[in-house]
Amino acid sequence: MRYNCVMTKQHNSQKYNTSYQLKLPVEISTIIEISDPVYTFCEVMDCINLRKYLAVKESKTGRKRYNPLILLKVILFAFMEYGYVSVRKIEKLCKTDIRFMWLLQNNDPPSHMTIDNFMNETLLGNIEDIFAEINGYIFLKEKVDLEHVYIDGTKIPANAYKYGWVWKKSCLKNRNKTFEKITMLLTEINREIEALGIKFGTRTEYAVEYMEQITEQYIKLTGINPETIIRGKGHHKTAEQRRYDKLNEYTEKLKTYSKHIKICGEERNSYSKTDTDATFMRMKKDYMGNDQLLPGYNIQIGICDEYISVFDVKQHASDMDCFQPLMEKFNKTYGKYPKYPVADAGYGSFNNYLYCEEHGMEKYMKFTMFKKETEDSKYRDNPYRAVNFPINENGNPVCPNGKEFTYLYSRPVKGNKYGRREELYQCEDCTNCPHKERCCKCEGNRVIRLNEELTEFHKEVLSNLNSVHGALLRMNRSIQAEGAFGTIKWNKSYQRIRRRGLKSVILEIAMISCGFNLHKYHLKSLARQLAA
């Protein structure tokens, strides 16, 4: 059988042309809409001097450094448009978005590593000054009222493992147990070396250095060589080796506990292993559905005429402790304190009211029971509440049964930094009182606690907030402060912190705040143009 093989020549032709033709104008700005935010952005950036915050020494070797001012413009415009944007997305925008190409001014698009290094090396220490410079221009143009500040806070989950917690109280408890074990071990060792006339001192608490000294002395006394100790299965440990191992074990435990307690500091009770600056706190949105604490940061903002005038990042969950640092930051930035700081019930406390009194600020922060005091007349007018007891000519409270309360003593309130004290009074006789069941269910004579200064503060706050001016301020706070967080968290989808470490989180929030104010300024400028 014969086969005819026919060779066919294959032509692999490759086309090097395309039907899409590149047609660009000489000036890119001619195809950008006149109402685009990039023009408002350039107006602000070109009218302020930011070079003083970007000055960095050039290296004599290596490639020439990328223009820092162009990098800053690219980053801030990205945050203005998107709320939060990653460095890789900024790199992509510089290659694909014509507005970013225009901002680059014929420079090559920066890589994501260039952008990231610029953020961490240059912006990390100067971003708050840049934020103040941007606000200075916008506030002057908009004639922003700095007398009224609307304050609010929110807790945002950190970029940390939600099960990698360290609890300070647990460390303190376990450290005390270790102290007891060390005392028992040293007592046992002292019985062993009693014949040598040597005795190790026992204490209630042991320092790591003291334990290391004891271990060295024990090695000299027993002649143990740590390098030649035989370990593993099938090898019998001597009594001296077991005690030596326990000394090392307890010393390492003390080192670990000391490290954990030092990281927590005095103000925190917990931290996350993957982000040691994050604190475990309750979030408004509980993803687990079991009221579990999650690592996060407490973000504080102060709003003036819809602009973020001041921001702060704190590691503790309580808003009460965040008010004074926020106001100090406001004073440092603008050279004065606001006259009307308006905040919700999370900020009203004796410390904060006294702080306002000292710095000439009016008291417009709700206290914990403000809503009940305002809306629940049964609670407010309850004659059995200690604050509603009339005061007689002797200056003592009198109960509804006409019995006088006599002064017992005064004591400081635990944890109060301003030396707040409370006075305790006891009824002269509660025997056979017809109001006993409604007044007090305790046995014996009723004891009440009063603080006249705090009661006067509460009356002043109620008077301020229930006035027409106070009602308008409360309404504006709910619109402006909570609205700002609504725009950042929901409109711009920023619901989790991306960076780790307190300084890096401050950088992130500062860039978001700069973008928020620039975007708000653009919207207001656009509205004025449309109205005209």
Side-chain angles (χ1 to χ4, degrees), residues 250-406:
Y250 296 152
T251 304
E252 291 302 318
K253 282 187 177 182
L254 289 182
K255 287 181 181 179
T256 303
Y257 296 143
S258 298
K259 177 186 174 183
H260 292 331
I261 295 167
K262 184 179 178 181
I263 292 174
C264 281
E266 296 182 359
E267 296 183 352
R268 293 199 295 164
N269 292 322
S270 64
Y271 75 88
S272 172
K273 291 180 180 178
T274 49
D275 182 2
T276 55
D277 287 337
T279 308
F280 280 82
M281 55 186 75
R282 283 184 175 82
M283 306 291 171
K284 288 184 178 179
K285 189 171 182 180
D286 185 10
Y287 300 96
M288 305 299 292
N290 57 0
D291 199 30
Q292 179 177 316
L293 300 180
L294 295 174
Y297 291 90
N298 194 346
I299 312 300
Q300 300 287 317
I301 60 171
I303 306 293
C304 294
D305 286 350
E306 300 182 35
Y307 292 101
I308 298 177
S309 60
V310 64
F311 71 90
D312 204 0
V313 180
K314 289 299 177 186
Q315 298 170 283
H316 35 259
S318 173
D319 288 338
M320 288 184 184
D321 300 327
C322 302
F323 175 76
Q324 295 180 29
L326 189 70
M327 290 297 97
E328 288 298 327
K329 203 169 184 181
F330 185 95
N331 179 50
K332 182 181 177 182
T333 306
Y334 303 105
K336 64 175 183 178
Y337 294 96
K339 188 175 181 181
Y340 302 100
V342 188
D344 61 11
Y347 297 86
S349 67
F350 179 82
N351 289 3
N352 292 341
Y353 293 144
L354 198 57
Y355 177 82
C356 291
E357 190 92 5
E358 291 176 352
H359 295 89
M361 294 184 284
E362 298 291 334
K363 304 173 192 66
Y364 281 84
M365 298 97 66
K366 297 178 183 177
F367 49 89
T368 307
M369 303 301 290
F370 173 80
K371 186 175 181 180
K372 208 166 185 180
E373 285 271 7
T374 306
E375 299 178 2
D376 190 350
S377 59
K378 185 178 180 181
Y379 171 81
R380 181 180 63 247
D381 301 329
N382 184 4
Y384 302 106
R385 285 181 63 202
V387 293
N388 291 334
F389 285 177
I391 306 298
N392 62 9
E393 62 279 0
N394 297 328
N396 294 328
V398 178
C399 73
N401 194 33
K403 298 294 184 179
E404 183 180 3
F405 279 73
T406 55

Side-chain angles (χ1 to χ4, degrees), residues 79-101:
F79 276 83
M80 174 184 176
E81 279 287 272
Y82 300 98
Y84 175 83
V85 59
S86 66
V87 292
R88 291 183 183 273
K89 188 173 181 180
I90 296 175
E91 178 188 10
K92 185 178 180 180
L93 289 169
C94 291
K95 296 176 180 178
T96 58
D97 195 317
I98 198 166
R99 299 172 301 172
F100 286 83
M101 296 178 188

Side-chain angles (χ1 to χ4, degrees), residues 81 123 125 228 453:
E81 279 287 272
L123 290 187
T228 59
E453 196 171 5

